[in-house]
Amino acid sequence: MKNLFILIFLVAGVTTLQAQIKIGKMKIDTKKAIQAGKDAAGAITLSDEDIASMSKEYMQWMDTHNKLAAPDSELGKRLAKITANFPEIEGLKLNFGVYEVVDVNAFACGDGSIRVCAGLMELMTDDEVLAVIGHEIGHVVHHDSKNAMKNAYLRSAAKNAAGALNENVSKLTDSQLGDLAEAFMGAQFSQKQENAADDYAFDFCIRQNVDPYAMSKALNKLVELSAAGGEKANLIQKMFSSHPGSAERAARLKEKADNLQKK
């Protein structure tokens, strides 16, 4: 787990991009003109089918450039056990995977792909991992992930290469997918979207008969990790700087769980 995988969906995104981001063995130059073609962005028409196709290509690219834990590995077996009861949600088939990277994070894509970083699984209990996954599913169900993909495409240099004025999105090249990944990693969810995903995770835990405090505990662990110092803390702090409400979110979810116990 030598590489850092910088995806920022659990506690929102970074507000500024560094000069270079490393994903797996690839380095992405963030100085590329991702604003190129900005004037043409309004002319792009992206259908749900376009976004679904783009999401599928994106996930194939991510899985190629980040090592997935084998299904028969300890991490693979643990994730399969945690997710065994919900192979699909609201008709959308889900697929899960663990990236063998040290980051404490998870993310979801609109095609139903959900990836969890090994660092998060090492830090959290099964119930807490499930709560985080529930949060990510919430973003998918509420179409946040789909909209984030659309906005990333509009922001990235890939839109020019694919044809900004065309009605259909062409198949993206490896380089263009790298540009898309750069923009997608910069996506930010609003406080309202995060709270809605938290509420979905809370209800999801109840439906799965696990600890209703799980999401609150997961967020508190991230807050504690941020305060502890070190490399992981620096990454968490960057995420918190763009979305400083994690402690408040944890407290709100704890209150919901407290009220549930009183009933």
Side-chain angles (χ1 to χ4, degrees):
M1 298 192 295
K2 296 183 291 184
N3 299 316
L4 287 180
F5 176 76
I6 310 177
L7 275 168
I8 36 63
F9 280 85
L10 177 58
V11 282
V14 294
T15 55
T16 58
L17 295 173
Q18 300 178 9
Q20 196 174 71
I21 295 175
K22 187 174 183 181
I23 300 178
K25 296 180 180 179
M26 294 194 64
K27 292 181 179 179
I28 299 172
D29 184 1
T30 62
K31 293 182 179 179
K32 290 182 179 180
I34 64 172
Q35 295 300 322
K38 183 177 179 181
D39 293 340
I44 301 176
T45 300
L46 293 176
S47 68
D48 287 347
E49 290 75 16
D50 287 330
I51 297 172
S53 176
M54 192 186 310
S55 297
K56 183 178 180 180
E57 285 186 55
Y58 174 79
M59 287 309 308
Q60 290 173 341
W61 189 89
M62 292 301 297
D63 288 351
T64 297
H65 293 95
N66 294 278
K67 184 179 180 181
L68 279 165
D72 60 352
S73 67
E74 183 177 348
L75 285 171
K77 290 179 179 178
R78 183 183 170 202
L79 184 63
K81 179 182 177 182
I82 292 171
T83 60
N85 292 332
F86 48 95
E88 65 177 53
I89 294 291
E90 298 188 16
L92 178 65
K93 187 175 181 180
L94 304 177
N95 69 89
F96 302 92
V98 182
Y99 285 141
E100 293 187 357
V101 292
V102 299
D103 296 64
V104 181
N105 222 325
F107 78 101
C109 204
D111 69 338
S113 297
I114 297 173
R115 299 293 180 266
V116 183
C117 295
L120 183 140
M121 294 193 69
E122 292 172 359
L123 178 71
M124 298 187 180
T125 66
D126 286 0
D127 283 359
E128 290 161 1
V129 171
L130 185 140
V132 170
I133 289 173
H135 177 95
E136 300 306 328
I137 292 174
H139 280 309
V140 173
V141 169
H142 299 149
H143 305 294
D144 300 337
S145 299
K146 182 181 75 173
N147 291 332
M149 176 61 70
K150 178 179 179 178
N151 292 334
Y153 179 76
L154 296 178
R155 288 175 52 223
S156 73
K159 64 176 178 290
N160 283 338
L165 299 179
N166 291 338
E167 291 185 1
N168 297 320
V169 177
S170 305
K171 186 175 178 63
L172 301 178
T173 67
D174 188 83
S175 176
Q176 291 157 10
L177 282 165
D179 291 334
L180 181 62
E182 175 188 321
F184 198 39
M185 285 189 295
Q188 297 182 50
F189 293 132
S190 69
Q191 183 75 50
K192 181 178 179 180
Q193 288 173 318
E194 292 289 4
N195 284 340
D198 286 344
D199 289 338
Y200 187 94
F202 181 84
D203 294 337
F204 184 76
C205 286
I206 294 173
R207 291 196 300 270
Q208 295 294 321
N209 296 314
V210 303
D211 184 5
Y213 290 93
M215 190 63 200
S216 176
K217 290 178 179 177
L219 285 169
N220 276 327
K221 283 188 176 180
L222 293 178
V223 174
E224 292 168 2
L225 181 61
S226 174
E231 187 175 24
K232 290 183 181 180
N234 290 335
L235 179 58
I236 295 294
Q237 287 165 357
K238 288 178 184 177
M239 294 188 278
F240 283 170
S241 69
S242 66
H243 199 97
S246 295
E248 290 81 2
R249 286 166 56 198
R252 188 179 73 88
L253 290 169
K254 181 180 182 301
E255 184 178 1
K256 283 173 67 76
D258 288 343
N259 290 335
L260 180 67
Q261 298 303 313
K262 294 175 183 178
K263 292 181 180 180

